[in-house]
């Protein structure tokens, strides 16, 4: 059962985002991007107040670098659709389980170390080249109570 409302076109949008943001990180890496996105839709805190839908989350200004590149605008593939649906259904994995932010430090060829904080939130872990940050309970208690 879905934890956020998602139409077929929303699943396709999320699938395209997963691929564009993390295809080189494998299926778990793409699923972690989905975890962060669904957390942003559900948490209603910090920079994500009022974000209630997948299109709002994806199109939030400056939220995802992938929207500036052509890969996001290619058709969704079945593999990524399945991953997007799993995220929409509430499957969450560490380090994306409660994270609202992630990014890839350094360059594509030479990833750098994860800073201890990002947007003033603590590092929770790394998956391959991406660092994940979850809010403190003071900043966003609701992300810990959404499921």
């Amino acid at each position: 059962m879905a934890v956020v409302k998602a139409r077929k076109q929303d699943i396709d949008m999320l699938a395209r985002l997963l691929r564009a943001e993390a295809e080189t990180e494998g299926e778990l890496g793409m699923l972690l991007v989905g975890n962060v996105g669904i957390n942003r839709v559900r948490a209603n805190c910090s920079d994500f107040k009022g974000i209630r839908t997948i299109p709002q989350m994806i199109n939030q200004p400056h939220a995802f670098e992938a929207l500036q590149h052509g890969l996001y605008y290619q058709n969704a593939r079945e593999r990524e659709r399945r991953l997007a649906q799993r995220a929409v259904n509430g499957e969450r994995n560490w380090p994306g389980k409660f994270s609202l932010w992630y990014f890839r430090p350094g360059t594509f060829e030479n990833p750098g170390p994860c800073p201890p904080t990002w947007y003033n939130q603590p590092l929770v872990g790394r998956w391959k080249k991406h660092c994940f940050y979850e809010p403190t309970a003071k900043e966003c208690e609701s992300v810990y109570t959404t499921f």
Side-chain angles (χ1 to χ4, degrees), residues 12 15-16 19 23 30 74-82:
D12 282 353
R16 293 185 352 246
R19 179 180 178 197
E23 181 176 36
M30 289 187 282
Q74 294 179 6
N75 290 332
R77 298 186 305 193
E78 192 55 37
R79 172 187 180 202
E80 288 83 26
R81 281 190 193 103
R82 285 192 304 270

Side-chain angles (χ1 to χ4, degrees), residues 51-121:
I51 302 293
R52 305 276 47 94
T53 69
I54 289 171
Q56 287 174 338
M57 176 267 297
I58 291 173
N59 292 310
Q60 184 182 22
H62 313 292
F64 296 103
E65 185 179 318
L67 272 66
Q68 300 171 14
H69 306 289
L71 189 56
Y72 173 76
Y73 298 96
Q74 294 179 6
N75 290 332
R77 298 186 305 193
E78 192 55 37
R79 172 187 180 202
E80 288 83 26
R81 281 190 193 103
R82 285 192 304 270
L83 293 168
Q85 189 64 60
R86 286 169 57 187
V88 165
N89 287 349
E91 181 180 330
R92 298 201 286 187
N93 297 278
W94 182 90
K97 188 171 185 176
F98 300 114
S99 295
L100 291 176
W101 299 271
Y102 67 86
F103 89 109
R104 185 182 67 215
T107 65
F108 185 78
E109 298 81 18
N110 189 18
C114 295
T117 60
W118 187 253
Y119 288 94
N120 296 316
Q121 302 306 309

Side-chain angles (χ1 to χ4, degrees), residues 19-55:
R19 179 180 178 197
E21 286 280 321
E23 181 176 36
T24 62
E25 305 288 293
E27 287 196 6
L28 182 56
M30 289 187 282
L31 188 57
L32 293 171
V33 168
N35 291 165
V36 169
I38 298 304
N39 288 344
R40 289 178 178 186
V41 172
R42 294 186 51 102
N44 200 31
C45 63
S46 185
D47 297 331
F48 312 107
K49 289 181 181 167
I51 302 293
R52 305 276 47 94
T53 69
I54 289 171

